[in-house]
Amino acid sequence: MRAIQITEFGGPEVLNLTELPEPEPGPGDLLVEVERAGVNYADTHRVEDTYLSSSGLPLVPGSEVAGRTSDGRRVVAMVDSGGYAERALASPHTAYDIPEGVDASTALALLIQGATAWVLLRHNVHLAEGESVVVHAGAGGVGSLAVQLAKAFGAGRVVATAGSEDKRELALELGADAVVDSRADDMTAALVEANEGRRVDTVLDMTGGRVTDESLHALAPFGRLAFYGMASREAPKPIQLPNLMRHSATVSGMWLPHAFQLPGNVVGRAMAEMFDLVRTGRLRAVLGGDYPLDRARAAHEDLRSRATQGKLTLDPTA
């Protein structure tokens, strides 16, 4: 079968199209004929070997697929690796049936990006009705869904950041009440101004560096910042615990694989709620580009340049 494989760690240049043996299902595995594979920031870190968990070589990247099982079910599924291929193995515990009327790319957008946004809002910052929410990278895969979910969950004011005028316009179209240039010289002041002169209640941050530092300073008493990525590849300053107490602030981290370990099938509940919002027109996935499998390098280059909007996918059938 055709697949993208890396035999050394590095940037997009190490992604190579190759022919590999068919995956062999073990007991309980689902063999998925891949219709679309999702492309995520985490994939770029895994290819570099800068991810939260280390990877071995050779490696077929890709942690999510949408397609058909051998018994004909349409599913979207998390996979340990191997998504950038014509066929992949998935666990039934991380596979979800795609409802009628939902396309594969939308289902993929909901699985990692949507579930991330849902868990951040429901479990990390525990968004209360009427509270303000800052969504950094508000036109990105997670951000574009977080803006909409925050409104659906009763946020009082949603402030989105983005680095270009068209991305800020998209965030407003999706329901943001105000937008901020992500390159603002003083992010603290920009966020407070966008929140009508008030400090903000919650922040969803995947940027890192000074944006994280300055967002912390924008928090109101009992404000919460949830950190789930470092797209800038710049670490924030170390947090001084007395400062958290001084401002009654909370900082949390989130890595989606841990959400699958929570009791009560949290990710399953998230998917069911989001599928229902999609079907009723209250949530839409922003689809940022569908690349043939042999253009995986281009997908990674575009994602790393932060020039994309919404969800990127690979098409193994093309």
Side-chain angles (χ1 to χ4, degrees):
M1 70 170 184
R2 296 190 314 143
I4 297 294
Q5 186 183 64
I6 69 169
T7 56
E8 61 179 320
F9 294 116
E13 72 280 354
V14 303
L15 296 165
N16 294 304
L17 183 67
T18 188
E19 287 285 336
L20 293 178
E22 298 282 334
E24 292 289 339
D29 284 339
L30 294 176
L31 178 63
V32 180
E33 189 82 22
V34 180
E35 180 182 346
R36 292 292 187 276
V39 180
N40 300 287
Y41 265 109
D43 299 345
T44 71
H45 284 290
R46 180 158 281 175
V47 168
E48 292 178 331
D49 202 26
T50 58
Y51 195 49
L52 292 175
S53 59
S54 187
S55 301
L57 294 174
L59 172 71
V60 175
S63 56
E64 56 174 351
V65 297
R68 289 197 180 273
T69 62
S70 56
D71 60 0
R73 292 166 52 206
R74 289 184 72 232
V75 299
V76 60
M78 290 280 290
V79 295
D80 290 334
S81 61
Y84 292 8
E86 292 180 309
R87 281 165 287 284
L89 297 179
S91 165
H93 303 295
T94 58
Y96 305 92
D97 288 310
I98 301 174
E100 193 71 32
V102 178
D103 63 84
S105 294
T106 294
L108 283 169
L110 298 183
L111 181 58
I112 288 185
Q113 279 82 11
T116 293
W118 192 98
V119 171
L120 287 167
L121 290 166
R122 293 288 203 203
H123 283 261
N124 284 77
V125 303
H126 298 279
L127 180 68
E129 188 168 350
E131 287 190 315
S132 55
V133 183
V134 172
V135 180
H136 285 300
V142 174
S144 60
L145 292 163
V147 166
Q148 298 173 77
L149 289 174
K151 297 299 286 188
F153 296 166
R157 188 167 179 84
V158 176
V159 177
T161 73
S164 66
E165 186 62 36
D166 61 331
K167 289 185 177 184
R168 291 190 289 274
E169 288 177 2
L170 173 61
L172 290 170
E173 179 188 332
L174 294 173
D177 299 289
V179 290
V180 168
D181 191 330
S182 60
R183 301 161 299 181
D185 291 334
D186 185 339
M187 184 59 72
T188 302
L191 294 180
V192 171
E193 180 182 357
N195 196 39
E196 300 180 317
R198 300 183 300 273
R199 291 185 176 271
V200 301
D201 297 308
T202 64
V203 177
L204 310 185
D205 178 36
M206 52 77 70
T207 304
R210 75 167 184 89
V211 169
T212 302
D213 301 330
E214 295 175 8
S215 296
L216 273 171
H217 293 149
L219 287 177
F222 294 99
R224 290 90 70 200
L225 183 146
F227 188 75
Y228 67 100
M230 204 161 62
S232 70
R233 286 166 164 79
E234 296 177 3
K237 294 177 182 176
I239 293 172
Q240 302 299 316
L241 294 182
N243 287 337
L244 296 182
M245 183 175 68
R246 185 174 295 114
H247 300 287
S248 298
T250 299
V251 177
S252 65
M254 202 280 281
W255 188 34
L256 187 62
H258 290 146
F260 289 93
Q261 302 171 20
L262 291 171
N265 189 22
V266 166
V267 176
R269 288 193 290 112
M271 294 299 291
E273 183 172 5
M274 290 186 293
F275 278 140
D276 186 61
L277 289 170
V278 168
R279 287 197 300 265
T280 57
R282 298 176 64 198
L283 181 67
R284 73 175 176 93
V286 177
L287 305 181
D290 190 29
Y291 298 73
L293 185 64
D294 62 6
R295 297 198 69 236
R297 288 185 184 182
H300 276 227
E301 288 166 354
D302 291 347
L303 188 61
R304 287 170 60 113
S305 72
R306 302 180 72 180
T308 62
Q309 296 180 2
K311 182 66 179 178
L312 304 189
T313 54
L314 294 177
D315 181 359
T317 69

